[in-house]
Amino acid sequence: VAEAGPDTVPPVITLSGPNPLTIFWGGTWLSDGYQVSDNVDGTNVPVTFSNTVNTKVPGTYIVTYTATDSSSNTASTNLTVNVKFVGGGTNRGPDGLPDAVRFAMGADGSNALAPALMPASQMSNNALVLTYHGRPGTSPVALVPVVSTDLSDSNSWSTSGITVTNLGQTNVNGVTLDRRQASVPTTDGTRKFLRLRATTSQ
């Protein structure tokens, strides 16, 4: 009587949908977009994931699906998920701010920016001061304070003469943010305008 040899055939994982997959900031990602089959266990094969996708933070995520059958045969496949801003970050949210700016200041993609996180300007000790919040460290969006003496000249904005001070960190809705102040002297007799420029790597 012939006996079957040991099972050495790994299961097969088939991903559903495109790879790479694009999801817009604040959207929903589900990890169940796959099918698994095995020559012995059929579809009754457990699958684990090496990574999750945080759609509240734009970037590229690599999710590894690993299936192991009852004979310890293992197979893996990768899914690349790109979380991006709609329109490259120019789309405006419920607070009227562009998405790239909203993200940099702590928004999560679906809700309006908390009023306490809105930037505020004031005059203090012969300087124009802008207080704002920004995500620390490496971020898909960089916030850079810029100054101008002429609002009508789009080419006149620069970082010249601006001093940025970090006032510490705060946590809002699970997001750690730096609280910063940008100041520029007004003692030269010219009026100044301060604003934030958002630069996205996407």
Side-chain angles (χ1 to χ4, degrees), residues 101-167:
V101 174
R102 297 175 62 243
F103 167 79
M105 291 184 181
D108 62 8
S110 56
N111 300 317
L113 193 68
L117 298 180
M118 286 288 190
S121 60
Q122 64 178 6
M123 291 296 299
S124 177
N125 297 324
N126 295 316
L128 177 61
V129 179
L130 179 67
T131 304
Y132 64 100
H133 293 81
R135 294 178 187 252
T138 303
S139 170
V141 180
L143 281 179
V144 180
V146 290
V147 62
S148 177
T149 59
D150 185 358
L151 283 175
S152 64
D153 184 0
S154 60
N155 296 318
S156 66
W157 296 91
S158 74
T159 58
S160 178
I162 298 178
T163 300
V164 178
T165 305
N166 195 327
L167 303 179

Side-chain angles (χ1 to χ4, degrees), residues 15-192:
L15 299 180
S16 305
N19 187 10
L21 172 67
T22 297
I23 297 176
F24 290 121
W25 177 51
T28 301
W29 175 75
L30 300 176
S31 61
D32 58 358
Y34 68 90
Q35 294 179 335
V36 61
S37 62
D38 183 72
N39 64 323
V40 174
D41 299 328
T43 59
N44 189 27
V45 180
V47 177
T48 59
F49 313 95
S50 69
N51 196 9
T52 58
V53 176
N54 184 359
T55 63
K56 296 181 180 180
V57 179
T60 298
Y61 299 83
I62 306 297
V63 182
T64 300
Y65 293 74
T66 301
T68 304
D69 66 17
S70 59
S71 298
S72 298
N73 299 307
T74 298
S76 297
T77 190
N78 291 334
L79 171 66
T80 300
V81 180
N82 295 311
V83 179
K84 295 186 174 184
F85 293 114
V86 175
T90 59
N91 181 67
R92 294 185 180 273
D95 44 31
L97 297 173
D99 283 348
V101 174
R102 297 175 62 243
F103 167 79
M105 291 184 181
D108 62 8
S110 56
N111 300 317
L113 193 68
L117 298 180
M118 286 288 190
S121 60
Q122 64 178 6
M123 291 296 299
S124 177
N125 297 324
N126 295 316
L128 177 61
V129 179
L130 179 67
T131 304
Y132 64 100
H133 293 81
R135 294 178 187 252
T138 303
S139 170
V141 180
L143 281 179
V144 180
V146 290
V147 62
S148 177
T149 59
D150 185 358
L151 283 175
S152 64
D153 184 0
S154 60
N155 296 318
S156 66
W157 296 91
S158 74
T159 58
S160 178
I162 298 178
T163 300
V164 178
T165 305
N166 195 327
L167 303 179
Q169 291 188 330
T170 185
N171 189 289
V172 179
N173 296 327
V175 179
T176 299
L177 300 167
D178 287 335
R179 185 169 179 264
R180 305 168 186 159
Q181 275 190 346
S183 63
V184 61
T186 58
T187 52
D188 59 1
T190 60
R191 61 180 181 175
K192 301 286 197 324

